[in-house]
Amino acid sequence: MIYSYCRRSKEEEGKSSIDTQRKKIQMYCEGADIFVDKHFVDYVSGGTRLEQREQGLILSKLLKKGDTIICSALDRYSRNHFGLISDVEKYKRMKVKLIFCDLGDVVSADSLGSIFYQILSIMSEWYRKSLSEKQKLVREKQQKEKLYTGGKVLKGFDIGDNGQLVEC
């Protein structure tokens, strides 16, 4: 069986990310003359391990020897270095292919290919963590400036025209 896997975080707006991933996978499959049997989509942080995701867990349980997972890019599969490395080692034992449209099959990669995807995985995890830190700093700055930061409005406040929290 050939499975496609797409992921975007809940913070990403719209569904264009999923559409773009599907198009990349479709183009890869057309070039390789293969067809996807089943599609999986998760809306979760890339730092979450595959088995901890709703659709990722279902996909993991379906995998059998000779199956293939196709993902548009490494960061769409995982932004967790340990999780990706663990999955690749598991797939090697199971003889399951993990294909990224821009890298190819990382499970059966030679030693140089193995190092390359591991470096990309580390960079992807670093990027996820740096984004999280930036988001925290922006949120703290907005709170200090008494700007609305999303969610429920504090009791006794309304949102002003400029996004400021205004006392009622």
Side-chain angles (χ1 to χ4, degrees):
M1 294 281 286
I2 298 175
Y3 304 103
S4 76
Y5 183 78
C6 300
R7 178 203 64 80
R8 77 166 173 85
S9 62
K10 291 178 184 175
E11 288 80 29
E12 291 178 64
E13 294 294 322
K15 68 175 208 166
S16 64
S17 172
I18 298 298
D19 291 341
T20 302
Q21 291 175 59
R22 283 188 170 149
K23 285 177 186 164
K24 277 185 171 179
I25 291 169
Q26 182 181 356
M27 288 173 56
Y28 178 89
C29 290
E30 286 172 4
D33 200 27
I34 57 176
F35 299 94
V36 173
D37 297 305
K38 189 160 174 65
H39 302 273
F40 292 90
V41 177
D42 269 319
Y43 298 93
V44 65
S45 166
T48 306
R49 300 274 312 264
L50 188 71
E51 291 85 14
Q52 296 171 330
R53 304 173 189 174
E54 184 180 324
Q55 294 296 300
L57 177 62
I58 295 168
L59 171 59
S60 295
K61 289 182 177 183
L62 288 174
L63 290 174
K64 292 180 178 41
K65 182 179 178 177
D67 286 349
T68 300
I69 303 169
I70 302 174
C71 196
S72 65
L74 182 142
D75 67 326
R76 297 293 90 193
Y77 179 85
S78 178
R79 288 186 186 254
N80 179 317
H81 177 67
F82 176 74
L84 177 65
I85 301 302
S86 298
D87 286 351
V88 168
E89 291 305 315
K90 178 175 80 174
Y91 298 156
K92 281 182 183 178
R93 290 189 304 274
M94 293 176 68
K95 301 210 181 328
V96 168
K97 289 182 181 180
L98 176 59
I99 296 173
F100 299 119
C101 295
D102 52 354
L103 294 175
D105 180 8
V106 296
V107 173
S108 52
D110 59 7
S111 59
L112 183 59
S114 175
I115 290 169
F116 186 66
Y117 91 81
Q118 289 185 38
I119 290 169
L120 288 175
S121 174
I122 290 167
M123 295 306 295
S124 184
E125 183 169 336
W126 166 80
Y127 183 71
R128 173 182 59 88
K129 288 179 179 177
S130 70
L131 278 179
S132 180
E133 290 169 7
K134 286 177 189 175
Q135 289 169 344
K136 262 186 205 172
L137 291 172
V138 167
R139 197 169 287 123
E140 286 172 4
K141 181 182 176 199
Q142 288 174 329
Q143 287 171 343
K144 284 180 185 174
E145 295 174 2
K146 296 202 181 210
L147 291 172
Y148 175 64
T149 58
K152 291 184 180 178
V153 179
L154 296 172
K155 186 174 182 178
F157 288 90
D158 280 331
I159 302 170
D161 293 335
N162 58 359
Q164 287 281 131
L165 290 174
V166 182
E167 256 187 89
C168 296

